[in-house]
Amino acid sequence: MDLFSRSWTALRTAVADLADEDFERPSGCTGWLVRDLVCHLVIDAQDVLITLVTPAETEPTVDAVTYWQLAGPPTGDDPLDALIPRLAAAYGEPWLLRFHLDDVGSAAGRAAELADPAARVSTRDEVLTAGDYLCAYLLEWTLHHLDLIAHLPSAAGPPAETLAAARASLEKIAGHPFPASFSDEDALLIGTGRRTPTDAEKAALGDFATRLPLILG
C-alpha cells in the first residue's frame, strides 16, 4: 500500500512539473503524445476510485500477478485506445489536464490510503483483495511513469523502490527472472517491449528472449 502511494505521488508530481510544450511531445506509448498518456492516467484514477468502492462477497478469483493477462501488441482497433487522443485534444489547454489529474488523482490516492488491504473488490469481472489490486496498479503506474519521461530526459523518474517492486511483479508474471546485469528500468522496458534489447542483452536473456515482450492487458 505504501509503495502504491509512493509510485502514484511520484507520477502525479512528474506530470505537475511538465512544461506546457512537453504535453505535445511523444510518450513511450506508441502513437500517444504525453497529453494522451496523461488523459489515460485520469481514466486510470477513475478506475481506482470505482474499484475501491465496488465490494465483492465472493472469494478472490485473481491476485496481483494473475490480474494481468498477456495480450498481443496493440492494433489500434480498441475503442478506448482510439478515444484517448480525441479526449486529450478536447482539453485544449495543458493546465486543464493537470487540474483534472490532480483532482481525480488526489482522490484516488486518498481512497487507496483508506482502503482495507484485505477487503475484496470487483473489477473486470474478477474479484481480488484491495491490497492485490493496488499492488497490480503499482506496476501500471511505474510503467507509465517510464512512458511519461521516455522523451523528457530532464524529468524525474520513478522512485528506486517502486522500480524494484515493479520488476519483481513483472518477473512473477513472466515466471522467470531477468538477468541480474539488467537495471530495474531496463528489465521493465525490455520486458514489456518498450525498448529493443541489444545483442549483448539478448545473449544474457538466452531462451527467455523468445518469450518477450510481455504485453500486459
Side-chain angles (χ1 to χ4, degrees):
M1 303 286 274
D2 180 57
L3 286 177
F4 171 91
S5 296
R6 291 187 199 179
S7 64
W8 188 218
T9 298
L11 179 50
R12 289 189 291 118
T13 300
V15 172
D17 290 342
L18 294 176
D20 284 359
E21 56 268 25
D22 291 339
F23 282 74
E24 299 303 318
R25 300 183 190 278
S27 76
C29 294
T30 303
W32 277 5
L33 300 175
V34 166
R35 72 180 185 190
D36 305 327
L37 175 58
V38 175
C39 184
H40 172 73
L41 294 178
V42 172
I43 294 175
D44 270 356
Q46 292 172 338
D47 284 344
V48 170
L49 281 170
I50 292 168
T51 299
L52 291 180
V53 293
T54 306
E57 300 300 327
T58 57
E59 291 298 313
T61 56
V62 293
D63 58 23
V65 174
T66 56
Y67 169 87
W68 294 108
Q69 299 176 349
L70 297 182
T75 62
D77 296 330
D78 184 273
L80 183 57
D81 288 347
L83 170 66
I84 293 295
R86 297 198 300 271
L87 182 58
Y91 276 87
E93 298 292 334
W95 73 266
L96 284 171
L97 261 174
R98 283 198 204 90
F99 172 80
H100 200 183
L101 179 62
D102 181 64
D103 192 35
V104 181
S106 296
R110 288 193 297 272
E113 291 173 357
L114 294 171
D116 175 0
R120 286 168 289 184
V121 296
S122 178
T123 183
R124 305 198 311 186
D125 296 323
E126 302 283 6
V127 175
L128 71 170
T129 66
D132 275 342
Y133 174 70
L134 296 176
C135 183
Y137 250 96
L138 165 66
L139 177 57
E140 173 95 353
W141 296 149
T142 304
L143 288 172
H144 281 329
H145 197 146
L146 294 174
D147 292 331
L148 183 78
I149 66 171
H151 301 282
L152 300 170
S154 62
E161 61 269 26
T162 61
L163 281 168
R167 175 188 183 147
S169 292
L170 189 62
E171 290 179 335
K172 289 177 182 177
I173 293 167
H176 195 286
F178 288 91
S181 60
F182 283 27
S183 69
D184 294 335
E185 180 174 337
D186 285 337
L188 292 168
L189 293 176
I190 293 170
T192 59
R194 286 166 163 82
R195 180 170 79 72
T196 302
T198 64
D199 289 342
E201 288 168 336
K202 286 181 181 177
L205 285 165
D207 292 341
F208 185 35
T210 63
R211 295 169 50 195
L212 302 178
L214 303 170
I215 309 299
L216 306 180

